[in-house]
Amino acid sequence: RRPTLSDDAALAKCYTSVLDKALEYNARTVAFPCISTGIFGYPKARAARVAVDAISKWMMDARTTTSGACPFVLLVAYTDDDEKGLAKALDIHKSLLDEIATEKLDDLAMQAAKAVKDADAVLVTSGAGLSASAGIDYTSEEIHRKYFPDMAKRGYRCMYQYIGGAPKDPSVLWGYLCRQVKEVRFGTSMITNNTYDLLRGVVGEKKHYCVTSNADGLIHRLGHFDPKMVVERQGTYGLLQCLEPTCDSSPWASEPELDRLREGLLVDGRTSAAAPCCPRCGSNSVFLNVRGGSWFDESPRRESERGLQSFLKSLDKNESKLVIIEIGAGYNTPGVIRGPNERYTGMFKKSTLIRVSMDHAHAPANITDRCVLAPEDAHKFLDAMTKAMGKLNS
């Protein structure tokens, strides 16, 4: 429902009651988030206006009724929309916000560029945010409608929705996958930005290794990085595997099967072609080689995982300047990218973690002094970092 004036008054009280306590305890500073604008869904612009009006009135009243100094009040904007709402309520012009944001971006990019320039080795790690910035965005409803209008009619809104919610009908499931995987893992039409080019340029000729949670192969399939030096930790769309627990078959190439399924595509997006079957046991219990349960076959990654360990062992934990570039890794699977990176940062005493994440650019307190934490879009940050490296090398 829409907030009422009574709701506004209750929200204002949240701020003023805290300020009353702050004054009572002689607090010098009070920081507020944008209260109630998260899971409770209070409209951000309206909540910002309520907050600014309530705090302003409280400050004016406090100055006339108390002899002590009023606390400094900091309003923290967690999202861009929070910032826009607060800026409008505070009558701050957008151009000033843009100028501040640009200065912050350039400063963070220069810090990151200096770290890479001085590095002995670079560990490149990435999550869904990197490919999304390049154009393959699993949360985009627009992309989904464009490429899979039939699935939109079936009630699906974005590619991410199929993870854990795939169609039960094999003709619908494989009719979708033979198109989706063909586009995401083997095609280029969804790619709209040269984000991976920028990443490759930033790493340059430095000794490096890569770890990704993305199954799209973008980090290596267009020639950016050597596939032998990439750990695809969550699997790959490039392989199929048998799900039968008693079958000892190895994963096999998915593209020939996808092409066969595409030949049977019907106008409604289903495929008339038979579902894939295991070449060893003949079972139709087959799926992509991606981490989705205990059935996941890890064998295709063993060699690259051993390569990663060799890469790390080749570095001196006390002296080597290891830079860990982490882009677009959130909290869907924090144990895959974020957790290990934090451990590596703690392990290598002269390491630097460059964490680029729109919503989760933070790190544990014990390593923050060796982190560059950038709450930025991956492409935007890599572009700024590329320019910063150009300045350092000029």
Side-chain angles (χ1 to χ4, degrees), residues 38-177:
I39 194 170
F40 293 107
Y42 216 102
K44 293 179 182 291
R46 181 165 178 163
R49 172 53 63 191
V50 170
V52 169
D53 287 349
I55 294 169
S56 298
K57 184 177 184 303
W58 184 92
M59 297 280 279
M60 292 177 64
D61 292 344
R63 287 193 180 101
T64 59
T65 59
T66 63
S67 57
C70 291
F72 174 80
V73 176
L74 178 67
L75 296 172
V76 181
Y78 185 70
T79 69
D80 288 344
D81 286 339
D82 289 332
E83 183 179 69
K84 289 175 185 175
L86 288 171
K88 185 175 181 180
L90 292 164
D91 199 26
I92 299 173
H93 198 274
K94 182 179 181 299
S95 61
L96 178 59
L97 291 179
D98 292 342
E99 182 180 340
I100 294 170
T102 298
E103 289 178 359
K104 180 181 177 182
L105 170 62
D106 290 345
D107 179 62
L108 290 170
M110 182 57 75
Q111 292 180 46
K114 287 179 178 177
V116 172
K117 182 177 173 62
D118 294 339
D120 296 314
V122 179
L123 179 60
V124 180
T125 64
S126 60
L130 179 61
S131 285
S133 192
I136 300 180
D137 185 352
Y138 269 59
T139 66
S140 170
E141 296 186 18
E142 180 182 354
I143 290 174
H144 184 262
R145 286 194 301 270
K146 176 181 177 181
Y147 286 89
F148 315 109
D150 55 290
M151 299 306 290
K153 291 178 181 177
R154 290 185 171 93
Y156 288 91
R157 298 187 306 278
C158 63
M159 291 188 287
Y160 188 78
Q161 196 176 356
Y162 297 85
I163 301 174
K168 302 299 183 184
D169 184 336
S171 68
V172 177
L173 173 64
W174 289 106
Y176 166 71
L177 288 176

